Amino acid sequence: MEKILITGGNGQLGSELNVLSKMYSQYKWIFTDWQELDLCDLDRLEENITAINPQIIINCAAHTAVDKAESEMELSDVLNHQAVAIMAKWSFEHHCKLIHVSTDYVFDGNSSIPLDEEAVTNPINVYGVTKLAGEKACLKNNPDAIIIRTSWVYSSFGNNFVKTMSRLMQERDQLNVVKDQVGSPTYAADLAQAIISIITGDKWEPGIFNFSNEGAISWYEFALAIQEIGRFDCEINGISSSEYPTPARRPNFSLLDKTKIKRAFGVTVPEYKESLKKCMQLLRTVQ
C-alpha cells in the first residue's frame, strides 16, 4: 500500500485532502502538521521523512501569513524555500512523487491577460519571493516534481476571506473591500480533488501547473458574491488598494490560466460561484 505524506495537514488544503482521503482507502494517508513533522527543523528533516518513508509527498505547508512574512523573512524562507529544497532532494533520491503547492504571488500584477505557466515571475512581497525560491529549489532538486500554483484559497476550514466576510457582514452595516486587485478564488476542496485526480491518474507530467476556479473578479466582486449567496444585509463599498495599506504589497492582477492542467490531466475546473455556493452551504450546516 502506497504511503502519502501530507505536510500542512491542518491547513485549508490539508483538511480538504483529509476529507477526500476517506474515499481512497487504497493509500495509507499520513497527515502531518508542525507537531508531527517540523519543517523548520532543517537538520533533521531528511531523517524524519525517511522515518515515514512515503511514496508520494503533497507539500501543503507554507508560511502563508503574507503581511507577517514581511517582518518574518527568515521563517518564511525556511518554510517556503529551504524545507522545500530538502523535501525535493529526498523525494528525488527515494523515487518518491512530489506535488508542491505554490502561489499566484510569484507575479508582480502588471499583466492584463491571464497568466500561464511560462509568464515572467517578479514577486513584490516577501511571501512571493520565498515561494518563488521554493519553486526553483523544488525543480532543481527534483525535476520530476509537480508544482501547482493557486490563488485566493478559501475553505470551510481555517481562516479565510469567505469566513471573515460572512461574519463581518452579519456584524456591520457596511464594509470596504479592495476593488483593484483582480484574480480568481480557489475553493480548497476543488484543488484537493484536482490533486487526487493527478495522483490516481495514469499520467505523471512534471512541471508547473496553475489551478484556481474559473472567473475573473476583484476582491470587491468576491465580497458581493458572498453577500448575495449569504443574503447578508450589509453595504459593500469598493475601495482602492491605496486606501487600504498593508505591510505587504499585493499584485493588482494575478488571474491564472488553467489550460495546461486541464489538458495534461483532464482536471475539471469549476466556476467560482458554484464552488462558493457549496462552501457557504457547508458553513451554514456546521454553524
Side-chain angles (χ1 to χ4, degrees):
M1 183 183 282
E2 282 191 313
K3 255 188 240 175
I4 302 179
L5 166 63
I6 291 92
T7 63
N10 292 340
Q12 296 185 87
L13 181 56
S15 298
E16 295 288 6
L17 281 164
N18 205 337
V19 170
L20 289 175
S21 69
K22 313 292 187 281
M23 294 184 280
Y24 297 89
S25 55
Q26 69 267 42
Y27 300 103
K28 181 169 186 188
W29 297 83
I30 298 159
F31 289 87
T32 63
D33 221 284
W34 65 269
Q35 301 95 327
E36 299 85 15
L37 183 65
D38 185 0
L39 300 188
C40 292
D41 188 357
L42 299 175
D43 293 335
R44 293 185 57 213
L45 186 52
E46 279 194 60
E47 175 192 330
N48 291 336
I49 297 172
T50 302
I52 298 167
N53 194 30
Q55 285 71 54
I56 301 168
I57 297 174
I58 305 171
N59 182 34
C60 306
H63 186 284
T64 56
V66 178
D67 287 324
K68 262 190 177 176
E70 294 295 307
S71 56
E72 296 177 351
M73 189 165 185
E74 199 174 324
L75 174 62
S76 194
D77 191 65
V78 165
L79 271 172
N80 297 343
H81 168 214
Q82 295 178 54
V84 177
I86 292 168
M87 265 185 277
K89 182 173 176 284
W90 187 95
S91 59
F92 189 70
E93 288 172 354
H94 292 79
H95 308 288
C96 167
K97 290 176 176 173
L98 172 64
I99 294 181
H100 170 61
V101 180
S102 192
T103 175
D104 61 321
Y105 279 19
V106 296
F107 299 111
D108 60 17
N110 292 333
S111 177
S112 56
I113 57 167
L115 296 145
D116 67 15
E117 291 77 3
E118 304 301 316
V120 176
T121 54
N122 184 31
I124 55 173
N125 55 43
V126 168
Y127 172 66
V129 166
T130 57
K131 288 296 284 184
L132 181 59
E135 285 187 9
K136 289 177 177 175
C138 181
L139 292 177
K140 179 186 171 188
N141 288 288
N142 187 348
D144 294 331
I146 288 174
I147 293 173
I148 302 178
R149 288 177 180 154
T150 191
S151 60
W152 303 15
V153 177
Y154 70 93
S155 162
S156 59
F157 299 98
N159 299 314
N160 54 67
F161 186 78
V162 174
K163 290 169 85 170
T164 300
M165 285 292 120
S166 298
R167 175 176 56 78
L168 291 176
M169 285 177 196
Q170 294 172 80
E171 293 174 357
R172 299 185 188 173
D173 294 329
Q174 63 173 327
L175 288 173
N176 296 332
V177 183
V178 169
K179 66 180 178 185
D180 56 3
Q181 293 170 22
V182 173
S184 187
T186 305
Y187 183 24
D190 294 336
L191 177 54
Q193 186 59 66
I195 289 170
I196 288 179
S197 297
I198 292 169
I199 287 167
T200 56
D202 53 9
K203 183 183 183 187
W204 184 269
E205 187 177 316
I208 298 174
F209 296 86
N210 293 334
F211 186 94
S212 65
N213 286 121
E214 297 287 14
I217 56 168
S218 65
W219 289 104
Y220 167 67
E221 288 166 314
F222 194 13
L224 290 178
I226 294 165
Q227 180 196 39
E228 178 195 330
I229 293 164
R231 298 194 178 119
F232 300 126
D233 186 20
C234 175
E235 186 183 337
I236 317 291
N237 306 307
I239 60 167
S240 67
S241 298
S242 60
E243 293 175 87
Y244 186 73
T246 54
R249 284 175 63 208
R250 266 74 167 172
N252 282 345
F253 185 94
S254 60
L255 182 64
L256 300 172
D257 183 316
K258 277 80 69 172
T259 306
K260 186 179 173 186
I261 200 167
K262 289 191 272 194
R263 274 199 197 133
F265 303 111
V267 162
T268 302
V269 181
E271 198 268 335
Y272 89 90
K273 212 176 234 189
E274 293 311 307
S275 293
L276 181 58
K277 282 176 188 168
K278 281 184 191 172
C279 182
M280 290 184 70
Q281 181 63 47
L282 206 54
L283 285 170
R284 276 197 287 269
T285 58
V286 295
Q287 278 171 356

